[in-house]
Every structure is written in C-alpha cells, then in structure tokens.
Amino acid sequence: MGHTTKLLIAVGLGGLAAVFNAISISQSTKPVQFTTVTKDIRAGDKFSTEVLDSIPVPTQFSESLKKSAIPFEDMAVLSGRTATRDLIKGELVLWVDAPVRGAQYDLQAGESVIVVDMSRAPVASIAVGESVSFRISADNESEPLEWVGPFRVVSVGAKRMLGERSEQAREIGIAVSEGGTVEANKLQSFVDRQTRGTNEKFQIRVHSGV
C-alpha cells in the first residue's frame, strides 16, 4: 500500500470521526421538551391531555429545570389532577402546580401514571398493588360500556406503599405503558371526559389482591 493511499484512508477515517462527533454533539444539545398549557388554567381546574403541550428548552438549562418543571415525557402524571394556582397559556407547568406527595410511584421502565377520579365509583376498598379493570364507554357516553384492563394500581389517594389501602379513596393512580396501548388510550379518553364533567357511569373490577 503506497504512502498516498494510506494518507487518503487516514483522511477518510478522520472525516468519518468528525461526522460521528458532530452527530453526538447534535444529539447531546437537542432541546428537551417540557410541559406547558395551551390555554389559561384557573386554580381548582383539572388538567387533561387536551390542555397540555410541549415546549423546547435548550439542553444546557434542562437538567436544573427538571427539578421544578415537568418534562413532557412525564406529563401523564398531571392527568386528572387539580391545579393549585392560575396558569397563563404557554406557561411551564411546575411540579408544585399539581403536587405529588409521599413515596414514589412503583413504576416499571416505560410506564407512567393515569389518575382516575373514583368519587363516583361503586367500590369501597382498593389497595396499592392490586389489579383493576374498568367498564367504561370507549369514546363517548352514548356508546355501550366495555371492560378495559387490567391495570396495576400504584396509588390510592396519597398512599403509594405496596399493600396500603383506603376505604373511600377519591382517586387512584393506574400504571400504563408510555407506548400508548389501545386500552390505555381508552382509559385516558375516559379520564379526559371525567375532567370535562361528563359524569359518566362506570364500573370497576378488582382482581387478585397483594
């Protein structure tokens, strides 16, 4: 192999290294998406996916911002929760705007939480760790009810420790895949309708306990 050929190969490899380095830098500086609201929200209003959107934040600010603002990939924790202050359209949603208290959710990789209003549910007692199914209408209250689930319960009211139980919990947290399964999407649609105050009837079935 001649000197010129070796030089061309070296230059070529150097060029590839530069390309891969540029790609790596580009990925590391890609803006991080945080959660914002698409309209004004009043304290006491409930969050739903319909009023949430993403806004890009430069990566150099994202790590420190994650301590106070909610990344868009975690926006599902807001579903069904009540805003604690007024928010203006386009404003970042902070963790304190819908406080999460107590122990961390028992979530597996790729899971997030949907919070379901249980104030109208015909069930008296649910424990963290149990599996539940919901009999709901899929898209609107005029459609026939169908069973969706089972889903794993990760919170009952403010309780999040495995086995903790509440006799009259007003809300429960349900673990769902962030990939958006068909059944999880049906449940999310139902929760969004709850948030709009449709007062639809539903049933809940509790499976094996912890």
Side-chain angles (χ1 to χ4, degrees):
M1 183 181 297
H3 178 73
T4 302
T5 302
K6 292 181 179 179
L7 180 61
L8 290 174
I9 292 175
V11 170
L13 292 175
L16 284 175
V19 170
F20 287 130
N21 186 55
I23 292 174
S24 176
I25 292 175
S26 175
Q27 290 177 339
S28 65
T29 57
K30 184 178 180 180
V32 178
Q33 301 294 323
F34 282 84
T35 305
T36 184
V37 288
T38 58
K39 67 176 186 178
D40 293 352
I41 299 293
R42 303 282 295 179
D45 289 348
K46 286 191 174 183
F47 290 103
S48 72
T49 55
E50 296 173 341
V51 300
L52 300 176
D53 201 356
S54 62
I55 184 172
V57 173
T59 186
Q60 62 265 37
F61 305 118
S62 63
E63 284 306 313
S64 58
L65 191 58
K66 285 180 180 179
K67 298 177 182 178
S68 55
I70 300 178
F72 191 65
E73 64 182 7
D74 296 324
M75 66 91 169
V77 303
L78 292 169
S79 183
R81 293 196 172 276
T82 301
T84 59
R85 68 181 177 97
D86 294 346
L87 290 94
I88 301 173
K89 178 181 178 180
E91 186 174 353
L92 284 176
V93 184
L94 308 179
W95 290 108
V96 296
D97 294 332
V100 176
R101 301 182 297 276
Q104 294 295 309
Y105 289 114
D106 178 27
L107 294 178
Q108 300 172 6
E111 287 185 333
S112 59
V113 179
I114 293 178
V115 179
V116 182
D117 181 355
M118 297 292 292
S119 59
R120 295 173 57 86
V123 64
S125 179
I126 297 177
V128 177
E130 288 181 326
S131 294
V132 296
S133 295
F134 298 90
R135 192 170 183 232
I136 58 177
S137 55
D139 294 313
N140 60 70
E141 55 186 319
S142 64
E143 293 189 356
L145 300 182
E146 63 175 287
W147 286 104
V148 296
F151 303 98
R152 192 175 79 261
V153 177
V154 293
S155 68
V156 179
K159 302 178 186 296
R160 297 186 186 175
M161 299 299 292
L162 190 66
E164 286 189 321
R165 182 178 298 274
S166 176
E167 299 303 319
Q168 295 294 333
R170 294 187 60 83
E171 63 180 30
I172 62 174
I174 301 298
V176 296
S177 170
E178 292 181 345
T181 64
V182 172
E183 295 209 336
N185 289 339
K186 289 180 179 179
L187 181 60
Q188 181 66 70
S189 178
F190 170 73
V191 170
D192 288 344
R193 295 198 303 275
Q194 277 189 322
T195 302
R196 294 195 296 269
T198 57
N199 293 324
E200 298 177 43
K201 293 181 179 179
F202 70 100
Q203 298 173 4
I204 184 169
R205 174 187 295 157
V206 181
H207 301 283
S208 57
V210 298

